[in-house]
Amino acid sequence: MRPLDLTEKDPSKKITIYFEGKPYKAYEGEKLPVAMLANGIYWLTTSLQGRKRGAFTFGPLPVTVNGVKNVNGRKLKVRDGMRVERQNYGEFQEAVEVDGGKEPLREVVDVAVIGGGIAGIGAALEVQEHLTVALIEEKGWLGGLMFIESVPQGGFDEEPRKVVKKLTSEFNENVRVFTGTTALGIFDEGEYFLVPVVKGDQLIEIMAKRVVLATGAVENIVLFENNEFPGVFRLDFALEVINKWGVAPGKRVAVVGRKPERIIPELEKWGIEYVVVPNPKRAEGGERVERLIDMNGNVYEVDAVIVSDYRIPDINPVTQAGAKLKFRYGYYVPVTDGQNRIRDGIYVAGSAVSIKPHYANYLEGRLVGAYILREFGYDASPAVYREKLEEYEPESMPRFTLSLGDMNLEDVQICGCDVNLKKVDDVVKSGITDLQIIKRLTHLAMGFCQGRFCLFNGALLASQRTGTPMDKLDIPVARPPIKNVKMKVVARG
Ligand code: ATP
């Protein structure tokens, strides 16, 4: 087994890849960051400011593959003999290929469900008897966060992955599943909504009479020095490497963030040694994390740091689709009518609405499905789901105070696209609190994640420095495409 493998892999899939000229053992079908992690290699790319970075926090991961630059290393599946080299962000000026795109395909359905987590699955199951559905999921699997957790969840009687498999095996022929497919936005087209989606290099125009946004939540980014150093893991990435790929994030890990209980059971299950560090100040090391120092000066010798904090709704898909936001439960949520609609024809369900247990998100998916059935004139009982859902109060996120005086803000990354906290703080301190202007001046929320991860901390900073309440800040609306896409896929002559 490789140094960080937790499980035996299929020996018939064993291959050799070369990273920076050296051979490493990998398995067919693995993604590059996972194969390198299993071999103990964390540093995969270098930012514009020369900062070493891995694949498990945020920011792009351009690599050179068999001499070809600008390959997205995050999604790259390894093949035997593949030669991969590190690349700097600075060289990552994607040559804009406008020609050579394929003709778009078109798919007409009654309902487009964006997001194949437990909420999206619930919505598809509810309507499938009478309506056709396109279930669109960016990842290679259905089940969202639940699929990469192994600890049983309240409301379901089996372990998460089995629940997902059982529910998705109940899909009938009316449900067309698009995995590895990213929705770029929602546009009005007469009595239909156009949802352009991309699978590989293929653009598919999904025409749907109703849309369900079940786009889930994102992990809150915890700010400390070198919070994007190779070896720092966002919680969803840590869960993915452990439970999907059978690889440990490290041999001895530090757990930071306000919700260590989200990862501890998984670490204990696999016998991964850990230490909980509630007040991290700085991660350090050569080519990867070697130690974590806390605010009291304690030094922890660890080889990985897992950030286990709160989740907050991903506001980009909903604001692009036309939702207004309100600040509730300590985060921004979409404003909905009494039927979970952000406007006519567009519904929201699951963690995209508020943070709740998986079972409640599943019920909410079923609830919006029932509302849609009723709109199409079929018998449905949304009240049953609504009543059950009322038993679940959404999770509140306590307000967090950024320790601005105690850290070297230049070393704290607020946004994966090389925007450090000092840069944003300098603008805020100069008296500018309008996030639209902060965005333009600092580049915050203008790069790869388009603010999904960084905007909240930007808002928190502006609020903390100026005393402006979070609900009085003007949060920028996301523009399409809400996810990155190659120009040639969407360009048309
Ligand atoms: P829970 O929060 O309880 O896990 P949920 O279904 O509300 O349930 P997630 O598990 O986060 O939330 O699932 C949301 C899914 O939506 C994720 O798997 C994510 O990959 C997917 N998703 C988000 N945005 C897009 C998009 N633009 N295109 C395709 N899929 C998307």
Side-chain angles (χ1 to χ4, degrees), residues 440-457:
R440 291 201 174 92
L441 292 177
T442 65
H443 235 91
L444 179 85
M446 285 181 88
F448 280 78
C449 83
Q450 298 181 45
R452 291 168 75 222
F453 293 102
C454 52
L455 207 53
F456 188 84
N457 280 329

Side-chain angles (χ1 to χ4, degrees), residues 115 117-119 137-139 144-145 181 183 214-216 311 350-351 358 361:
I118 199 67
E137 171 53 54
E138 174 176 28
K139 306 223 169 71
L145 183 65
T181 305
T215 37
R311 292 171 86 209
S351 292
H358 294 307
N361 290 326

Side-chain angles (χ1 to χ4, degrees), residues 342-356:
I342 57 168
R343 62 184 173 98
D344 267 0
I346 307 182
Y347 292 79
V348 273
S351 292
V353 178
S354 58
I355 305 302
K356 313 176 280 306

Side-chain angles (χ1 to χ4, degrees), residues 198-218:
V198 174
K199 187 175 174 74
D201 278 353
Q202 179 68 58
L203 178 68
I204 308 168
E205 296 174 339
I206 296 193
M207 307 297 294
K209 291 190 185 135
R210 298 288 179 277
V211 176
V212 177
L213 283 165
T215 37
V218 292

